Amino acid sequence: QMRAILVSRLIVVVLLAVAFAVPVSGVAAQATPDSGAPNPFADLGLPQLDITVTGSAFEGVPSELAAGRYVIALTNATDDGFSGGGAFLQVPEGMTTDEFIAFVSPSDESTSAEVVEASPVAGEMGPPDWYYETMVAGGPYAPGGGIAYAVVELTAGEWVFWAEYPGAPQPPVPVVVTGDLPADLPTPVADVTIEMSEFAFGMSGPIAAGPQVIELANAGEQPHFLAVIGVPPGTTVDDILALAQMESEAGDVPVASPTDEGLSFDDIVDAFGTGDQSAGVTAWYAIDLAPGTYAAVCFVTDPETGEEHVMLGMVEVFDVE
């Protein structure tokens, strides 16, 4: 059962690959900052974490940090054509860091699929109860060979930086955060604020073409994330819902099926993505979109209905000029 293993960012990695039959960032990722993109947060005076994603590890994640805001400069050093990244997650109450890592990491004797099936991060209808209660601070994703920037806030506690799905080739990296948040933390200046809630995206204004900073705030009660996909001009919300519903009913990965000569799986282009953010969490991201038509979607599972948020109305089609 595909939905039994969808957890947080795995929903982006799998459902955008399954529901839309394209690998995330496996096509031309026209919207994520490339390796030469400037860091829009460089002048804030915040400490910077230089994290590199390789085929088997997250490098550069410190083992200890003071509570505060951090600029993440994430480089995807892989060359497989897929996006790479992750998010900071606070280890759930009642679970040690070692237990969390053991649950989501395959052993030498087990496959990733076996770990996913046995892991408490996989529920029958999505993430387990604790996922909706623990803190997830967000994080950036970058295409292969590219770099992405974000600002996240970390409070005291035991955290991990992880790829957001069980069995990932990059094991979670434990991070102990200590102390109190400073009272005078610098705040990035955003071009657009996007609020996520149940079940909608609210944008303070249009997103212009070119480099931008977005403030992404979770004003809801469940975890959410922002995935931006390029779609053909004239695409409607109903077109996207029809594709998602088609996959939901099919149960298998479709190759390229249009909806009555409408939107096709092959029409979808990965553009931008973030890690999950818990209720009340705000993070800031660098985004660089080319002119065109896009859709903002979230595929976190609603624990009451078992439906992905997109199917409950969390999709917004917008134009970038």
Side-chain angles (χ1 to χ4, degrees):
Q1 282 291 332
M2 182 63 67
R3 274 166 180 74
I5 67 172
L6 296 184
V7 179
S8 64
R9 184 65 188 187
L10 183 57
I11 299 169
V12 179
V13 176
V14 174
L15 275 183
L16 283 183
V18 173
F20 304 127
V22 293
V24 173
S25 286
V27 291
Q30 75 231 31
T32 309
D34 62 25
S35 57
N39 180 357
F41 309 116
D43 297 331
L44 285 175
L46 291 171
Q48 179 168 307
L49 307 180
D50 295 307
I51 299 175
T52 299
V53 183
T54 72
S56 60
F58 292 117
E59 298 178 352
V61 181
S63 59
E64 296 183 8
L65 288 170
R69 286 180 184 159
Y70 291 87
V71 177
I72 302 176
L74 184 136
T75 299
N76 184 353
T78 66
D79 57 2
D80 56 12
F82 291 85
S83 66
F88 279 97
L89 175 144
Q90 197 163 36
V91 177
E93 186 176 352
M95 186 183 299
T96 68
T97 302
D98 288 344
E99 287 173 338
F100 178 88
I101 293 175
F103 278 132
V104 302
S105 301
S107 68
D108 292 339
E109 294 80 22
S110 63
T111 66
S112 295
E114 290 170 339
V115 170
V116 168
E117 291 175 358
S119 173
V121 302
E124 291 184 0
M125 294 193 302
D129 291 343
W130 61 255
Y131 195 78
Y132 299 88
E133 300 169 359
T134 196
M135 183 66 67
V136 189
Y141 282 73
I147 185 168
Y149 300 98
V151 172
V152 302
E153 184 173 292
L154 301 177
T155 55
E158 294 186 359
W159 295 74
V160 293
F161 188 83
W162 77 310
E164 300 199 89
Y165 66 97
Q170 301 85 11
V173 180
V175 181
V176 177
V177 179
T178 59
D180 297 324
L181 283 173
D184 55 348
L185 288 171
T187 299
V189 176
D191 297 283
V192 177
T193 297
I194 300 177
E195 279 197 352
M196 304 180 291
S197 62
E198 289 77 57
F199 297 100
F201 292 100
M203 298 186 181
S204 64
I207 299 178
Q212 307 278 304
V213 171
I214 61 170
E215 177 180 321
L216 187 63
N218 187 347
E221 297 180 356
Q222 298 184 25
H224 295 291
F225 65 82
L226 171 65
V228 177
I229 54 175
V231 295
T235 296
T236 66
V237 168
D238 287 343
D239 292 331
I240 295 170
L241 293 179
L243 277 178
Q245 185 63 38
M246 182 183 298
E247 184 278 330
S248 177
E249 295 174 351
D252 294 319
V253 179
V255 178
S257 300
T259 56
D260 298 329
E261 299 182 357
L263 185 65
S264 167
F265 299 115
D266 286 343
D267 293 330
I268 305 299
V269 178
D270 176 43
F272 174 79
T274 75
D276 286 12
Q277 294 176 206
S278 297
V281 169
T282 296
W284 294 262
Y285 297 89
I287 186 170
D288 186 358
L289 296 176
T293 302
Y294 297 86
V297 292
C298 175
F299 283 96
V300 172
T301 301
D302 173 47
E304 293 187 6
T305 65
E307 295 277 2
E308 286 86 21
H309 288 176
V310 63
M311 297 305 298
L312 298 174
M314 199 164 181
V315 53
E316 183 82 15
V317 177
F318 61 97
D319 291 320
V320 170
E321 299 178 352

